[in-house]
Amino acid sequence: MTESEQTQDTNTGGSVLGGASATESAARRAVIAGLDQAIDELKALVRIPSVSWDAFDPQHVAASAEAVAELVRGLDVFDTVQIKQARIGEADVLGQPAVLATRAARNGRPTVMLYAHHDVQPPGKDEDWDSAPFDPVTRSGRLYGRGAADDKAGVMAHVASIRALVAAAGADFDLGLALFIEGEEEFGSRSFANFLADNRDELAADVIVVADSDNWDTETPALTVALRGNVTFKLSVRTLKHASHSGMFGGAVPDGMLAMIRLLATLHDEQGSVAVAGLNRYEMETPDYDEAQLRLEAGLADGVSPIGDGTILSRLWAQPAITVTGIDAPTVANASNTLSPEIAARVSVRVAPGQDSADAYRAVEEHVKANAPFGAQVVISEVDQGQPFLVDTSGWAVAEAKRAMKDAWGAEPVEAGIGGSIPFISDLVRVFPEAEILVTGVEDPDSRAHSPNESLHLGVFERAILTEALLLVRLNERA
Ligand SMILES: [Zn+2]
């Protein structure tokens, strides 16, 4: 808004928000004033062990959904607040409960959908934690507990930023809101696609904020603009109709293992770069990240060199990767002098942002069939695909998100990629192709989501809330 750029408010107190409007300054004050409450409410959510996996008591996820709905009702800004479930695929089984709240836009203002999830990963062994996973405690400016970061902090960032919007703009604001707090993100978002289909009108938005990602570090915000997709499949290679003694026929006929090894070896070149024609790379600017950091974080063994080419982060974010994640073959302990007739492998392909996963799969399929050694019979089965994600960074909402990050953090945001995928994002893109999707986050590199001693940096939490509060205030004033 030009108004916000021109109005100089004397109450901002900080240099970061120089030129901020009175509304933005009020939002900033509300975020600071409301931080302790947000942390207390976050702790209460963390105390509910809402693990969404099948082997865990679904009552906890139900209790967590109810606790989130109660917080959302307490905001007193939504037309509807519901706890809803959707079917899993075609089955007559319902997924875990999500919270869905809506408020219609007025006076031509945009609608923003705020996504986070209230379920968590299993805690693992208690003895691996320095404090009990579901008993949140603060140590050295970090809040420890399962879900303290991933993603109950995302839930609370939405709640607290809406509160700041109300404090700054009044409860009668014009911005449309759809709040979607999923209950089974950590268990594969099994009913997500059906949930979108069932609630398409309620969820439709101009801008979608997915608060479930990372920041560059505790002082530098990141907008996640690229995610790799993935393709996995089972690869079976057969060379013999039955097993034979390796002394009788070895040397004259190929065994399945020889064919499989030679076939898998064609997937990479000498440098370890993927060598499959038709698997694309995406060109993106990447922040500095050196080999020493890679060695440390990936646990590269002494003397082993990294693989691939290009900047290290482009290898992780923007280039394809292929990993053999399992092989069915005789074990070493049971190895006999036998020619194996058939070997199976599980192959995992990371797809560069910008390429369709189906195209990537076809490229790999063609490569595998064209490179089968000795005419070996190759069968591919159990194919699973997830689309990559690539943000058009020229969009107005991306610009607004980056401006809010810069103002809230006092640092330029990094456009980041993620080597792994967030599978449900492709569903959002498919169902809401017109919406701009902003993947933001409350995590930092030390958050250890999914691991023991998961934690939230409380400074990052405050800045994430402020970022979202500024974004909401500005969208509320956007024509
Ligand atoms: Zn998450």
Side-chain angles (χ1 to χ4, degrees), residues 406-432:
K406 184 166 184 245
D407 291 344
W409 292 63
E412 284 291 341
V414 168
E415 286 186 8
I418 291 188
S421 50
I422 305 180
F424 69 79
I425 289 191
S426 60
D427 288 324
L428 289 176
V429 174
R430 178 175 51 75
V431 177
F432 303 115

Side-chain angles (χ1 to χ4, degrees), residues 285-304:
E285 295 268 319
T286 54
D288 289 339
Y289 181 94
D290 63 16
E291 186 180 321
Q293 201 173 347
L294 177 71
R295 301 194 78 89
L296 186 73
E297 292 181 3
L300 205 56
D302 291 343
V304 179

Side-chain angles (χ1 to χ4, degrees), residues 151-470:
D151 185 31
K152 287 172 173 172
V155 175
M156 284 313 306
H158 294 326
V159 169
S161 63
I162 292 170
R163 250 184 224 140
L165 170 66
V166 173
D172 202 29
F173 60 85
D174 290 334
L175 182 69
L177 288 176
L179 186 70
F180 174 20
I181 308 297
E182 193 195 353
E184 58 182 2
E185 197 276 342
E186 302 293 8
F187 200 53
S189 295
R190 297 173 304 165
S191 62
F192 192 94
N194 284 339
F195 196 95
L196 292 192
D198 294 351
N199 304 286
R200 195 196 162 99
D201 293 344
E202 291 89 338
L203 290 167
D206 303 290
V207 179
I208 299 173
V209 178
V210 175
D212 190 20
S213 191
D214 230 335
N215 290 290
W216 181 248
D217 57 34
T218 57
E219 304 299 325
T220 317
L223 188 68
T224 301
V225 299
L227 298 166
R228 289 195 291 193
N230 69 323
V231 173
T232 60
F233 57 87
K234 181 179 168 186
L235 174 66
S236 302
V237 174
R238 175 177 286 278
T239 56
L240 299 165
K241 290 177 179 158
H242 54 77
S244 297
H245 194 290
S246 61
M248 298 282 288
F249 294 105
V253 296
D255 61 295
M257 184 64 89
L258 172 62
M260 178 63 93
I261 289 169
R262 291 185 68 98
L263 176 53
L264 294 178
T266 67
L267 296 171
H268 299 86
D269 67 15
E270 286 303 309
Q271 217 180 333
S273 298
V274 168
V276 176
L279 275 186
N280 298 345
R281 295 166 167 225
Y282 174 66
E283 294 301 327
M284 78 184 278
E285 295 268 319
T286 54
D288 289 339
Y289 181 94
D290 63 16
E291 186 180 321
Q293 201 173 347
L294 177 71
R295 301 194 78 89
L296 186 73
E297 292 181 3
L300 205 56
D302 291 343
V304 179
S305 55
I307 59 170
D309 58 283
T311 68
I312 289 173
L313 287 180
S314 79
R315 299 176 214 178
L316 302 178
W317 296 352
Q319 294 184 32
I322 302 181
T323 309
V324 177
T325 55
I327 293 188
D328 285 343
T331 62
V332 173
N334 290 313
S336 61
N337 290 325
T338 302
L339 300 176
S340 296
E342 184 185 44
I343 301 292
R346 176 78 60 193
V347 180
S348 162
V349 181
R350 295 289 172 182
V351 181
Q355 180 161 39
D356 188 274
S357 281
D359 288 345
Y361 168 68
R362 272 191 293 276
V364 179
E365 181 187 35
E366 244 170 61
H367 176 99
V368 163
K369 295 204 162 147
N371 285 279
F374 320 114
Q377 297 169 1
V378 170
V379 175
I380 294 178
S381 58
E382 299 173 23
V383 182
D384 195 31
Q385 296 176 26
Q387 291 292 352
F389 171 63
L390 186 60
V391 171
D392 173 4
T393 52
S394 66
W396 64 267
V398 168
E400 284 292 1
K402 287 164 78 174
R403 185 160 77 97
M405 283 177 171
K406 184 166 184 245
D407 291 344
W409 292 63
E412 284 291 341
V414 168
E415 286 186 8
I418 291 188
S421 50
I422 305 180
F424 69 79
I425 289 191
S426 60
D427 288 324
L428 289 176
V429 174
R430 178 175 51 75
V431 177
F432 303 115
E434 304 300 323
E436 281 194 57
I437 300 180
L438 307 172
V439 181
T440 65
V442 289
E443 292 173 31
D444 71 272
D446 289 327
S447 288
R448 300 197 200 167
H450 299 198
S451 301
N453 298 314
E454 175 182 347
S455 69
L456 170 74
H457 186 283
L458 294 175
V460 167
F461 185 48
E462 178 178 353
R463 291 186 277 282
I465 296 169
L466 181 57
T467 300
E468 198 166 307
L470 292 176

